[in-house]
Amino acid sequence: MSGGTEHMTNHDAKSLGDRIKTARLAQQLSVRQLAMRAGLHHGYIARLESGEKTNPSTEALQKIADALSIDVQQILSGRRVKSERAAPRAYLRTLGLSTSEIDHVAGLIENYQANREEGHYEEDDKN
C-alpha cells in the first residue's frame, strides 16, 4: 500500500528523502533515533533519505512525521506547516494507543484547537 506515492519519480523520492533528512537533522536526531521514535527500521529510514526507497507507504510517512512532530504535508511538499498539529499524534503514539484511538483523540484535540483559534473558547488565564 503506497497511499498515492506509487508514481513518485526518482527526483521526487530524492526530494522527499532530503526533506526527511533535513527535518531529522534540525532536531539533532540520528537515523536510529528517528527510527526508534517512528517504530520503523533504521535501514528503511536510511533508504528513504538516500532516495533508494522510492515508494513509502502513507502509514510510514505518517509515523515519520509524528516522530518528528511535524505535519506529513511538510514532508511531502517541503512547505512549512504548523507543526503543533502533529504533536498530539506523536505524543499519543507514546502512550501505546491504537491507531484508531490516536485518530479519535487527535481529532478531538485538533477540533478544540481550531475552535479556540476561531475564538469559540476563552483562554483559561483566570486561575
Side-chain angles (χ1 to χ4, degrees):
M1 172 184 239
S2 60
T5 57
E6 60 211 349
H7 299 293
M8 280 186 166
T9 65
N10 285 338
H11 173 72
D12 293 335
K14 182 63 175 159
S15 297
L16 174 72
D18 286 343
R19 288 190 292 269
I20 292 170
K21 184 174 184 176
T22 298
R24 175 178 63 77
L25 292 175
Q27 295 188 30
Q28 300 178 340
L29 295 172
S30 70
V31 171
R32 287 181 186 270
Q33 289 170 320
L34 174 58
M36 277 184 61
R37 283 186 180 187
L40 298 168
H41 192 275
H42 65 274
Y44 182 80
I45 302 283
R47 287 191 301 279
L48 281 174
E49 288 186 358
S50 72
E52 181 183 335
K53 177 77 173 154
T54 60
N55 60 343
S57 69
T58 302
E59 181 181 4
L61 287 175
Q62 187 64 59
K63 286 180 177 183
I64 292 167
D66 288 349
L68 293 167
S69 296
I70 60 174
D71 190 282
V72 73
Q73 288 301 316
Q74 187 173 341
I75 295 174
L76 292 173
S77 68
R79 293 179 316 197
R80 283 271 178 217
V81 294
K82 289 188 172 184
S83 62
E84 62 268 15
R85 295 283 190 212
R89 289 181 187 279
Y91 172 72
L92 293 170
R93 190 176 305 280
T94 68
L95 298 177
L97 300 175
S98 70
T99 302
S100 63
E101 290 170 324
I102 290 170
D103 289 342
H104 179 74
V105 175
L108 292 172
I109 293 168
E110 290 164 1
N111 285 336
Y112 173 80
Q113 288 173 326
N115 283 322
R116 194 167 130 205
E117 288 172 3
E118 293 173 9
H120 296 291
Y121 303 115
E122 290 184 27
E123 294 291 327
D124 191 14
D125 296 347
K126 298 174 182 157
N127 289 339

